[in-house]
Amino acid sequence: GENVEQHPSTLSVQEGDSAVIKCTYSDSASNYFPWYKQELGKRPQLIIDIRSNVGEKKDQRIAVTLNKTAKHFSLHITETQPEDSAVYFCAASNSGGSNYKLTFGKGTLLTVNP
Amino acid sequence: IAGITQAPTSQILAAGRRMTLRCTQDMRHNAMYWYRQDLGLGLRLIHYSNTAGTTGKGEVPDGYSVSRANTDDFPLTLASAVPSQTSVYFCASSLGPSGEQFFGPGTRLTVL
């Protein structure tokens, strides 16, 4: 089955700096890669996703890049703000497969210091 | 529109007791999922259902069972709870195989 590794497990940055979180996956058939943000005590919520026919996707201060050859994808947050502090999860799935399962990474705790 | 709801919000349970966690969505999503979240381990899939009437095992299914009698409801049952099942449980749903998964608010379960 799919295995998703996520690094780092914790990340501390100063407000205004950039933050990068990296994930690798094992199943070359995976073609859907979402990122979820989970604030303390809240539910995970999708912030951005990318599909295998796209190399990069951007939404305001958030961008995701995908390298299918190397089987890794990354989340980039620019101009970080204290409200970006949360746990971020990457995930991978094969949306053309027989089921809709996502395999999640173990998460990255991002702390943005004012 | 409520989206996806879970009940109870939290529960303390004696080991050996039976417990059913409830999950209901009103988005007419085909697929539903149960995850458990433990510190340092991320979100691990327990069971899933691609459509009403079908279920499948996830990464950590032992000790849990599910049913999907209709589109809206996906209850998770612990037949005989053990302390290692202490966790936060999230239900989620998605329209299809490549769509966003929407999560419920979670149930915090403590087994003593």
Side-chain angles (χ1 to χ4, degrees):
Chain A
E2 176 66 276
N3 182 52
V4 176
E5 300 284 341
Q6 182 172 348
H7 299 281
S9 57
T10 61
L11 179 60
S12 181
V13 300
Q14 289 299 122
E15 183 176 0
D17 288 351
S18 294
V20 180
I21 303 170
K22 299 181 179 181
C23 289
T24 60
Y25 61 98
S26 61
D27 186 353
S28 57
S30 289
N31 56 11
Y32 175 60
F33 307 93
W35 286 88
Y36 285 79
K37 175 184 180 182
Q38 186 179 26
E39 297 176 354
L40 186 62
K42 302 287 184 63
R43 72 189 79 185
Q45 291 190 299
L46 180 74
I47 55 171
I48 195 166
D49 56 13
I50 191 167
R51 303 182 190 279
S52 60
N53 59 342
V54 176
E56 183 174 1
K57 184 176 179 180
K58 191 172 182 180
D59 183 2
Q60 298 182 0
R61 296 186 296 107
I62 294 173
V64 57
T65 58
L66 172 64
N67 183 328
K68 285 223 75 181
T69 302
K71 290 190 284 188
H72 68 70
F73 56 112
S74 300
L75 178 71
H76 305 254
I77 305 174
T78 59
E79 301 173 20
T80 54
Q81 300 168 3
E83 52 264 40
D84 294 329
S85 295
V87 178
Y88 292 82
F89 293 97
C90 64
S93 79
N94 177 2
S95 63
S98 60
N99 61 66
Y100 307 163
K101 293 188 293 183
L102 283 176
T103 301
F104 284 86
K106 289 182 169 48
T108 297
L109 174 60
L110 173 64
T111 302
V112 180
N113 301 299
Chain B
I1 296 177
I4 182 165
T5 60
Q6 293 183 236
T9 301
S10 64
Q11 182 74 45
I12 298 174
L13 189 66
R17 297 297 295 268
R18 181 183 179 88
M19 176 73 190
T20 295
L21 307 185
R22 300 184 298 278
C23 176
T24 300
Q25 53 100 1
D26 62 2
M27 299 177 283
R28 309 305 294 172
H29 283 175
N30 292 314
M32 297 186 74
Y33 317 84
W34 274 105
Y35 295 91
R36 59 176 291 173
Q37 185 173 34
D38 304 288
L39 192 63
L41 296 178
L43 292 155
R44 293 183 293 168
L45 183 66
I46 304 170
H47 284 288
Y48 66 94
S49 170
N50 286 348
T51 189
T54 68
T55 63
K57 293 182 179 180
E59 181 184 354
V60 288
D62 294 343
Y64 306 95
S65 64
V66 292
S67 62
R68 187 88 184 277
N70 57 60
T71 298
D72 297 348
D73 301 300
F74 191 43
L76 176 74
T77 298
L78 289 68
S80 179
V82 296
S84 61
Q85 292 177 310
T86 293
S87 187
V88 178
Y89 291 84
F90 285 100
C91 180
S93 70
S94 67
L95 182 61
S98 59
E100 175 181 357
Q101 285 194 17
F102 292 84
F103 284 79
T107 293
R108 183 174 295 277
L109 181 68
T110 302
V111 182
L112 301 176

